[in-house]
Amino acid sequence: MAAAPESASAADSSSTSHTITIGTRSSWLALVQTDSVEKALKQAWPNQQFAVHSMKTLGDRDKVTPLPDFNAKSLWTRDLEVLLLDGTLDMIVHSLKDMPTQLPATLTLGAVPPRLDPRDALVVSPRLLPTHTSLASLPAGSLVGTSSVRRAAQLRRRYPHLRVDTLRGNIDTRLAKLDAEGSAFAAAILAAAGLERIGRGDRITAYLGGPDEMEGGGAGAGGGKGAGGKWLHAVGQGALGVEVREGDERVARLLERVVCERTMRACLAERSLMRTLEGGCSVPIGVETEWVKRRKGTGVTALVQGGAGVGAKPAREYGADGKAVEGQEGEGDVEETDELVMRATVVSVDGEESVEAEMTRKVTSREEADQFGWDIAGVLVERGASRILEKINLNRQIIEQQGEA
C-alpha cells in the first residue's frame, strides 16, 4: 500500500529535481491515453516535470500474425517493462486489458485512473447502414472482424448465422479495412473506449453489453445455442493501468492523486479472476463489474457499471421487494455503496460451450477485491470452466508441437 500523501507544498518542493518519464506504446491511441494521464499528473503536481517516451512493442511491429498465435501474455508490455526495470522509465501507461495479470517480480500496478465505457462496440459497414444496425440483423453469412478471441467466441455462440475472421491493426486501419471498396467485412467489433478516445465515437452503431444491451441471446434476437446472459467485455477494458516499480514511494505518492479507488478495486477483482484462471488475451474470458448505488433513505438500489454510469439509458433500479422502480431522480439523491457485482463467463473458442457466474459482495479494500475475483473464478471452475480452458491449452500445445516439427 502506498505511503500517506505529503502536503502539496512539501511534495512539490521535493519532486522538481527529477523529471518523471512516462513510457507508452507509440500508437495514436496509446499516446492519447498517456496524454490524459500526464495531464492529470501535471494538474495534481504543477511543479513536477514530466516527459513521455514512446516506442513500438512486439504487438505493434507484427500486424499480421493473429493475436492467439503469439501465445505471449506480455505482447504489448514486455519491451517497455525492460526500460522500467533498468530505470529509464518511471512509469508505464497501458490499456489495462492488454496488461498481463502476472507482472515481473519487482513491478506492480500502481494506479488505475477513472474508467471510460468498458463495453464492446459494433461498427457496421456504411454499405449496410441504416438497414442493418445490430449483429442480429446482419444477413446470414456476414463476416465480422475482430482481433479478440473473446469477442469471436461470444459471436460464434450467440450469433451462429455470422462468420468471424481476424481484423488487426490500429483503430483507423481496422476501420479502413471495413470501409474499403469490395471489403469482405460487414462489421467489426472494437472497444468503445478506444473509439471514443480518438474521436471515432460517431462510428459506433451499437453497444454490446451493459445496462442498455439490446442484443439479446434468445432466439427472438437471433441468438443461438441457448446463449442467454449478456455480452461481456474484456478484463480491464475501458481502463488504463499505470505500471511502476515496487517500492518506488516517490512515484506512488504522485499517483495517489490520479487513482480512482473504486475503479482500481473493480479492475483488481477482474484481474484476479483472470489470473486465477490463468487466462490472457488468447483465452475467451468475459467480465462485467458494477457498483451498487442506493437511493438515499429509500433502500432502493441501482447498478452503476465499472464505477461510473455508462450507456445512454439510466441504470436499472430495484426496490427491496425486487420489483423495478419506475422513474428517475437527480444524481444527488443517490449514494454509493461498497457492494460490487461481478458477472463472468468462459467460452470455448468454437462457441459450443460456456459457463457463467454472477456474485455480489461488499468490497472495501484492494485485498477484498483480489479475493472476490479469486472466489468467482472458483465458482466458474466448479461449473466447468477448467474443462474449457484445458481444451484451449491442449489445442495450443498441439499447434506449437506441429510448428516445431
Side-chain angles (χ1 to χ4, degrees), residues 325-342:
V325 176
E326 300 296 333
Q328 288 286 310
E329 298 177 30
E331 185 66 23
D333 297 320
V334 174
E335 59 185 357
E336 293 182 338
T337 75
D338 289 320
E339 293 181 30
L340 182 64
V341 180
M342 181 186 290

Side-chain angles (χ1 to χ4, degrees), residues 81-351:
E81 286 172 338
V82 170
L83 299 183
L84 182 59
L85 287 166
D86 72 14
T88 302
L89 303 176
D90 295 294
M91 62 180 74
I92 308 170
V93 176
H94 302 288
S95 288
L96 191 58
K97 70 181 180 65
D98 297 330
M99 189 175 177
T101 56
Q102 293 282 7
L103 301 178
T106 58
L107 301 182
T108 188
L109 178 61
V112 179
R115 190 179 203 169
L116 297 190
D117 194 327
R119 293 174 295 177
D120 285 332
L122 173 67
V123 179
V124 173
S125 167
R127 303 185 305 274
L128 298 177
L129 294 174
T131 304
H132 303 284
T133 58
S134 68
L135 287 169
S137 72
L138 289 175
S142 294
L143 186 64
V144 179
T146 178
S147 60
S148 162
V149 174
R150 171 192 54 83
R151 292 169 183 153
Q154 290 189 95
L155 188 75
R156 293 185 181 105
R157 182 160 186 81
R158 297 166 65 90
Y159 302 98
H161 71 292
L162 302 176
R163 298 180 297 128
V164 61
D165 199 4
T166 299
L167 181 61
R168 284 203 58 199
N170 61 41
I171 292 177
D172 279 340
T173 297
R174 280 179 274 175
L175 292 177
K177 291 178 180 179
L178 174 66
D179 297 343
E181 185 177 354
S183 172
F185 292 103
I189 303 175
L190 301 91
L195 289 162
E196 294 286 358
R197 279 192 171 106
I198 66 167
R200 299 289 185 267
D202 60 331
R203 292 300 308 270
I204 297 175
T205 306
Y207 293 95
L208 305 177
D212 58 341
E213 180 180 27
M214 300 302 292
E215 296 275 356
K225 301 184 179 70
K230 302 171 66 176
W231 182 286
L232 301 183
H233 57 73
V235 166
Q237 187 160 304
L240 305 180
V242 184
E243 188 175 8
V244 300
R245 289 181 294 272
E246 279 192 343
D248 192 334
E249 294 301 324
R250 182 181 192 177
V251 171
R253 286 194 294 272
L254 295 175
L255 291 175
E256 284 176 348
R257 297 189 185 176
V258 299
V259 68
C260 175
E261 186 60 29
R262 294 178 74 80
T263 302
M264 184 87 174
R265 291 178 198 170
C267 289
L268 285 174
E270 295 175 13
R271 286 170 61 79
S272 176
L273 162 74
M274 175 171 278
R275 183 170 58 252
T276 304
L277 295 176
E278 298 184 347
C281 64
S282 59
V283 177
I285 296 173
V287 298
E288 181 180 83
T289 50
E290 299 178 281
W291 288 101
V292 177
K293 285 193 173 184
R294 181 172 291 112
R295 290 290 180 199
K296 292 180 180 179
T298 66
V300 178
T301 61
L303 293 177
V304 180
Q305 186 167 1
V310 299
K313 294 188 178 181
R316 293 159 295 144
E317 299 181 358
Y318 302 89
D321 60 357
K323 295 181 180 180
V325 176
E326 300 296 333
Q328 288 286 310
E329 298 177 30
E331 185 66 23
D333 297 320
V334 174
E335 59 185 357
E336 293 182 338
T337 75
D338 289 320
E339 293 181 30
L340 182 64
V341 180
M342 181 186 290
R343 303 177 186 89
T345 186
V346 177
V347 187
S348 62
V349 174
D350 60 11

